[in-house]
Amino acid sequence: MDYLNDLNEAQRQAVVDINGPALVIAGAGSGKTRVLTYRIAHLLKLGIRPDTILALTFTNKAAREMKDRIIRIAGYDSARYLWMGTFHSMFARILRIESSLLGYPADYTIYDTQDSRNLIKTIIKELELDNKIYIAAEIQGRISTAKNNLITAEAYANNPGITENDRRTRRERISDIFKIYSARCYKAGAMDFDDLLLNINILFRDFEDIRKKYQKQFRYILVDEYQDTNYVQYLIVKHLAEEHRNIFVVGDDAQSIYSFRGARIENILTFKNDYSDYTLYKLEQNYRSTQNIVNAANSLIARNTGQISKKVFSKKETGNKISIISAQTDMEEGFIISNSIFDTILEKQLAYSNFSILYRTNAQSRIFEEALRKRNIPYKIYGSLSFFQRKEIKDILAYCRLIINPKDDEALKRIINYPTRGIGKTTIQKIENHTNQHGISMWEIVSKPGDYEVLLNQGTKTRLKNFATIINDFISETGKSDAYDLVFRIASETGILKELYNSNSPEELSKYENIQELLNGIREFISSPEQESRFISLGEYLQNVSLLTNADNEKDDDKNKVTIMTVHSAKGLEFKYVYIAGMEEDLFPSVLSASNQKELEEERRLFYVAITRAKEQVTVSYTHSRFRWGVLNYCKPSRFLNEIDKNYLDWPGENNRLNNMHQLDDLFPRQRSRKRGIIHSATNTNSFVGKKLVRVKESDHNLRIPDDFRASDPLDIQTGMVVEHIRFGKGKVINLDGKPPNIKATVFFHSHGQKQLLLKFAKLKIL
């Protein structure tokens, strides 16, 4: 048993004590996967039959990696017969065997998300329901949530609380859709992903002999990431473990961050209630991160009340403190972080893959994509599409493309019926076929449908004429409205914003926020100093975007890239250098969570996950201002930064900066939309109109903008000069770095400490 020598004492105990219920609380980087893997290998080495072992994971990748390790220890012949995989794959396997009991064929079809959504769309259409109220994605989410709480279509329809809620939201026909959807799936011999878990519960509930059969078969049950299990998964595992009670679950309550997917932290916190004779093992040595990173994360998560006590420690080097940096704007934040990565790579000769930028929302990716591209730093977006490749962004840009070039048939096909305007696929196909035969653009027919009597009926011609009128109106504005105003009109007047805004779906909200971020980017582009306040047309902006998106076609090594992603996507990953961006109130923690204690604790756990992804260095950034819908909003640092023990932080001018930001919060109260939680500047806040900074009425002398304040030419600023900033007051330039127009100044301000500023945006006045 030489393989046991690879384990520390805590890990070894969790591996060799094979009988009875066990809970392993594994701190970040403590070898959770190793313990789970070695325990399975140890069972096989002891002669336990592999087909009596059920190991459940959340990803196929995790299952494959663990199985490969088990094979190296126990051999292929032993490992090949393990029941090991994701919840869905393992229970789909059981359903293949027992499906006839539920009336399904053994070779039943599994519908993916798009299959399910398409079927729901068909049903909505057949019922002649308003698809602006009955949005397929929302209905699908509603049905999924019900199934994951063991609510069938029949139970849904008979639940007064549920049906009353649907009635209040003017969607009282959801129960009808659910019934028809379930019947259609059954008729087609198909299950969706949620059915796999729902039907296993029904199988075990209704067929006692089948339940006992699998209870007897699985002598040892092991579950990875137990804190991420939902209610239906919890019940399945509980049923299966009743016979032998050899249930071994591994997880970390401090990393429970998926409640929006139905995960229940209560499953791990109350494990002892289900198995009073359980043994608790704590893996507390972190093998990933330096001592400062681990200690900082501990001091943060200690603020949570709902947790299982543990003290994670590291025996690695002390390491650097967590670096806190501030930026004037999110654009400057992107510049500072990309520069830091660039400089660190040059200084330490590291691969790009050692670096990751994490953020709270997908919409934040745009800034970093642009900043990294300008530095020629290759990157990949993990777990989501590139910002400019997202559907909602491509839809808006397709309108722009058609307005600039009406001969762009691909752009026309993309948006001619989005938002829905009654121009169907048959019509589009007819037009496309005709244009291909006669060598003309589709726009020639769409803009003059009356010239094609045989091709189109009267109703179709009217709809095409209405669409052409919309596009022609936008075309007529291209020389009058700048890029920002015209794109905002496109998003508004086409109905795209209204459709997304009126949805309660998290998916649609994310799209809404992404369009907001696109508009922010356009505002920044047209108001940047290098544009010299000149008129920026839609065509010029579109050309700029096209140059950016063309960079996506670079054929370099996918593995050697900086990774940018949401914190949710980063769970389970690790990097030498981690940048956590946007640590501001109402962004991280989210404005939707800040007033709810339970949700706030999950946001704190999310930040904990972000910090513990790093091996050597964590850099956290926040901005003093951030664009929202083209309006500049002032921000203050996240409360979470104040919760970390200051002994583990490198935060220049920390106290002054925090006090200043609290003053800003008092001076510039923000108005919160009750419907969305979207933040808008109050009427007395600063806003940018082109390059001009409009004066704010306030009394604080550090923030006051004198009538005679005129920023100096950035090229005139030299090291050693005394300068004035409109917010930070007087300071001395102690260093200049870079070349025009991207010169970066290090300035020591008397009241705010040392800051790095990009001169072209800083607006410094030489004294």
Side-chain angles (χ1 to χ4, degrees):
M1 295 188 179
D2 292 342
Y3 58 91
L4 295 177
N5 294 330
D6 298 337
L7 307 172
N8 64 33
E9 185 56 31
Q11 293 171 336
R12 184 186 178 98
Q13 284 300 315
V15 166
V16 300
D17 296 343
I18 65 171
N19 294 316
L23 169 62
V24 178
I25 294 298
S30 64
K32 168 184 65 67
T33 303
R34 169 170 292 210
V35 166
L36 197 60
T37 302
Y38 276 55
R39 184 179 174 92
I40 296 170
H42 186 62
L43 289 171
L44 295 174
K45 283 286 192 177
L46 293 176
I48 304 298
R49 284 174 46 191
D51 63 334
T52 66
I53 300 172
L54 173 65
L56 300 169
T57 66
F58 275 85
T59 66
N60 289 309
K61 180 183 177 183
R64 285 194 302 269
E65 290 176 352
M66 285 194 285
K67 202 162 191 177
D68 287 343
R69 294 189 194 183
I70 293 166
I71 289 172
R72 287 197 291 270
I73 298 172
Y76 176 75
D77 289 338
S78 295
R80 65 185 297 191
Y81 296 111
L82 284 169
W83 280 67
M84 185 173 191
T86 64
F87 279 85
H88 291 91
S89 65
M90 289 299 96
F91 299 132
R93 183 175 169 183
I94 293 176
L95 287 170
R96 294 287 183 199
I97 300 169
E98 314 294 349
S99 58
S100 62
L101 294 173
L102 298 177
Y104 287 88
D107 57 348
Y108 64 84
T109 299
I110 298 176
Y111 280 168
D112 63 18
T113 301
Q114 196 58 53
D115 294 326
S116 300
R117 193 166 298 174
N118 289 340
L119 177 54
I120 290 170
K121 286 180 180 178
T122 299
I123 296 168
I124 291 170
K125 185 176 181 181
E126 289 176 0
L127 294 176
E128 298 182 343
L129 300 174
D130 187 343
N131 58 15
K132 294 178 182 177
I133 297 175
Y134 291 89
I135 299 170
E138 287 188 23
I139 306 304
Q140 182 185 38
R142 186 80 168 157
I143 292 173
S144 175
T145 299
K147 289 181 179 181
N148 283 317
N149 284 282
L150 293 181
I151 300 172
T152 62
E154 183 179 357
Y156 189 102
N158 293 327
N159 187 309
I162 292 176
T163 53
E164 173 60 22
N165 181 71
D166 289 345
R167 189 192 63 77
R168 285 198 304 269
T169 59
R170 297 168 51 216
R171 298 184 301 178
E172 60 274 2
R173 300 292 301 278
I174 290 180
S175 63
D176 295 329
I177 297 171
F178 194 175
K179 282 182 180 178
I180 297 171
Y181 173 76
S182 297
R184 293 279 176 87
C185 288
Y186 186 79
K187 180 182 177 183
M191 300 184 201
D192 62 23
F193 270 60
D194 299 310
D195 284 327
L196 297 176
L197 302 184
L198 175 64
N199 284 335
I200 277 288
N201 269 285
I202 293 173
L203 183 71
F204 290 164
R205 180 196 69 191
D206 295 348
F207 299 92
E208 184 180 2
D209 56 332
I210 299 299
R211 182 177 73 248
K212 289 184 176 179
K213 169 185 172 182
Y214 289 100
Q215 287 174 342
K216 184 176 181 180
Q217 176 179 338
F218 297 127
R219 291 180 56 195
Y220 296 91
I221 299 172
L222 305 95
V223 185
D224 191 17
E225 304 288 6
Y226 193 64
Q227 77 282 347
D228 294 335
T229 53
N230 60 24
Y231 179 62
V232 68
Q233 291 163 335
Y234 158 80
L235 282 180
I236 295 170
V237 171
K238 191 170 184 291
H239 280 314
L240 289 173
E242 285 177 0
E243 175 79 15
H244 300 289
R245 294 179 59 80
N246 292 325
I247 177 171
F248 181 86
V249 302
V250 181
D252 182 5
D253 54 290
Q255 297 186 65
S256 179
I257 59 174
Y258 295 122
S259 65
F260 65 95
R261 295 180 186 169
R264 293 165 28 116
I265 191 174
E266 293 83 7
N267 292 349
I268 195 168
L269 294 179
T270 61
F271 183 83
K272 61 185 178 182
N273 297 341
D274 292 324
Y275 307 96
S276 57
D277 56 337
Y278 86 114
T279 303
L280 175 65
Y281 302 94
K282 295 183 181 181
L283 306 184
E284 297 175 303
Q285 182 173 353
N286 182 304
Y287 290 92
R288 175 189 300 153
S289 309
T290 62
Q291 293 179 33
N292 271 325
I293 292 173
V294 171
N295 291 338
N298 285 345
S299 67
L300 170 76
I301 204 63
R303 305 274 182 157
N304 273 10
T305 56
Q307 62 178 308
I308 297 172
S309 174
K310 63 180 178 297
K311 181 65 176 178
V312 181
F313 65 93
S314 171
K315 291 185 178 180
K316 297 186 74 174
E317 65 275 12
T318 303
N320 296 326
K321 294 182 178 181
I322 291 180
S323 176
I324 310 294
I325 59 176
S326 64
Q328 281 294 98
T329 66
D330 47 358
M331 190 172 185
E332 185 186 19
E333 179 183 45
F335 179 89
I336 291 172
I337 289 177
S338 63
N339 257 16
S340 174
I341 292 172
F342 184 83
D343 293 343
T344 306
I345 287 172
L346 287 181
E347 178 186 348
K348 299 183 180 293
Q349 295 297 299
L350 295 170
Y352 295 114
S353 56
N354 288 300
F355 297 81
S356 180
I357 302 172
L358 308 181
Y359 38 75
R360 180 64 182 82
T361 66
N362 276 316
Q364 291 170 259
S365 73
R366 179 189 62 82
I367 291 290
F368 300 106
E369 289 187 66
E370 293 185 358
L372 293 171
R373 282 172 180 153
K374 289 176 181 178
R375 267 296 194 182
N376 291 319
I377 297 174
Y379 69 89
K380 62 180 177 182
I381 298 183
Y382 189 99
S384 64
L385 291 171
S386 166
F387 182 85
F388 292 104
Q389 293 302 311
R390 291 168 185 155
K391 178 188 180 301
E392 59 277 14
I393 303 303
K394 290 177 71 69
D395 289 337
I396 295 289
L397 294 180
Y399 272 99
C400 296
R401 286 164 49 194
L402 186 62
I403 290 164
I404 299 302
N405 177 20
K407 293 183 178 181
D408 189 335
D409 285 349
E410 293 303 312
L412 186 147
K413 286 191 293 183
R414 185 178 185 94
I415 50 89
I416 191 171
N417 199 41
Y418 179 74
T420 304
R421 48 178 63 92
I423 302 173
K425 292 181 180 179
T426 302
T427 298
I428 296 170
Q429 192 63 56
K430 282 183 181 180
I431 295 172
E432 188 172 19
N433 290 341
H434 190 83
T435 57
N436 289 338
Q437 292 171 9
H438 294 83
I440 59 176
S441 71
M442 294 179 69
W443 176 251
E444 290 188 46
I445 297 177
V446 171
S447 61
K448 300 176 182 178
D451 294 348
Y452 300 86
E453 298 291 341
V454 178
L455 187 63
L456 306 167
N457 61 40
Q458 187 58 46
T460 299
K461 285 189 288 186
T462 299
R463 288 188 285 272
L464 291 175
K465 184 178 179 181
N466 291 339
F467 171 70
T469 299
I470 294 171
I471 299 301
N472 279 322
D473 285 345
F474 290 141
I475 291 174
S476 67
E477 288 295 316
T478 54
K480 304 173 186 176
S481 301
D482 66 22
Y484 176 84
D485 290 337
L486 192 49
V487 175
F488 188 87
R489 280 192 57 192
I490 291 168
S492 301
E493 295 177 17
T494 59
I496 292 174
L497 281 181
K498 183 179 180 181
E499 182 176 273
L500 298 177
Y501 183 81
N502 287 336
S503 169
N504 292 317
S505 163
E507 180 180 311
E508 301 305 291
L509 174 58
S510 178
K511 292 179 181 179
Y512 183 83
E513 292 172 339
N514 287 337
I515 293 176
Q516 171 188 343
E517 192 63 16
L518 175 69
L519 290 165
N520 289 345
I522 300 172
R523 171 67 79 189
E524 290 167 357
F525 178 74
I526 68 175
S527 61
S528 59
E530 58 263 35
Q531 302 300 347
E532 300 177 350
S533 296
R534 61 189 179 85
F535 179 87
I536 304 297
S537 69
L538 179 61
E540 187 172 347
Y541 172 73
L542 200 58
Q543 179 179 322
N544 176 69
V545 171
S546 297
L547 290 172
L548 289 175
T549 55
N550 285 340
D552 288 337
N553 297 322
E554 294 176 346
K555 296 181 179 180
D556 50 19
D557 182 6
D558 282 347
K559 293 183 179 179
N560 189 22
K561 294 182 179 181
V562 173
T563 303
I564 60 178
M565 62 185 137
T566 64
V567 183
H568 282 102
S569 298
K571 187 170 175 292
L573 303 176
E574 58 182 39
F575 304 89
K576 281 190 177 180
Y577 292 80
V578 170
Y579 295 82
I580 308 170
M583 285 305 303
E584 299 141 28
E585 283 295 301
D586 296 333
L587 182 55
F588 202 169
S590 163
V591 65
L592 301 176
S593 305
S595 60
N596 182 293
Q597 182 62 28
K598 184 176 180 180
E599 293 179 0
L600 183 64
E601 292 206 351
E602 178 155 334
E603 290 283 305
R604 190 177 287 113
R605 292 195 295 269
L606 190 61
F607 187 31
Y608 174 86
V609 167
I611 293 172
T612 55
R613 298 311 93 200
K615 296 179 180 180
E616 296 182 9
Q617 178 67 59
V618 177
T619 301
V620 181
S621 64
Y622 65 89
T623 68
H624 294 294
S625 58
R626 188 176 292 274
F627 272 110
R628 293 175 186 264
W629 296 103
V631 177
L632 191 67
N633 286 258
Y634 286 103
C635 313
K636 66 176 181 179
S638 169
R639 69 189 74 186
F640 294 154
L641 297 181
N642 246 357
E643 293 176 357
I644 299 176
D645 190 318
K646 295 177 177 57
N647 291 320
Y648 310 119
L649 296 180
D650 178 12
W651 193 351
E654 165 194 354
N655 292 328
N656 287 331
R657 183 174 293 111
L658 271 177
N659 290 336
N660 180 254
M661 296 313 294
H662 288 305
Q663 290 170 5
L664 275 174
D665 196 48
D666 294 335
L667 289 168
F668 308 130
R670 290 176 290 177
Q671 298 169 340
R672 185 170 290 118
S673 164
R674 287 176 295 178
K675 184 175 184 73
R676 279 287 179 188
I678 292 175
I679 305 299
H680 302 282
S681 294
T683 54
N684 65 335
T685 59
N686 287 346
S687 62
F688 282 104
V689 181
K691 279 181 62 179
K692 184 180 179 183
L693 184 64
V694 181
R695 188 184 173 199
V696 178
K697 295 180 180 179
E698 25 70 0
S699 58
D700 184 81
H701 72 278
N702 286 327
L703 298 175
R704 187 178 180 185
I705 306 171
D707 292 332
D708 61 349
F709 187 92
R710 295 291 183 274
S712 301
D713 187 330
L715 296 178
D716 292 338
I717 295 174
Q718 303 294 325
T719 301
M721 285 184 171
V722 176
V723 294
E724 184 179 10
H725 187 273
I726 57 176
R727 178 173 300 129
F728 302 118
K730 294 181 181 179
K732 184 175 183 179
V733 180
I734 59 177
N735 187 49
L736 294 174
D737 182 46
K739 298 179 180 180
N742 296 319
I743 300 175
K744 181 173 62 177
T746 301
V747 184
F748 184 84
F749 293 100
H750 304 305
S751 300
H752 294 81
Q754 185 172 305
K755 290 184 64 63
Q756 286 188 328
L757 304 172
L758 187 59
L759 285 184
K760 64 182 181 181
F761 297 128
K763 294 184 172 61
L764 296 176
K765 178 180 179 180
I766 300 172
L767 298 179

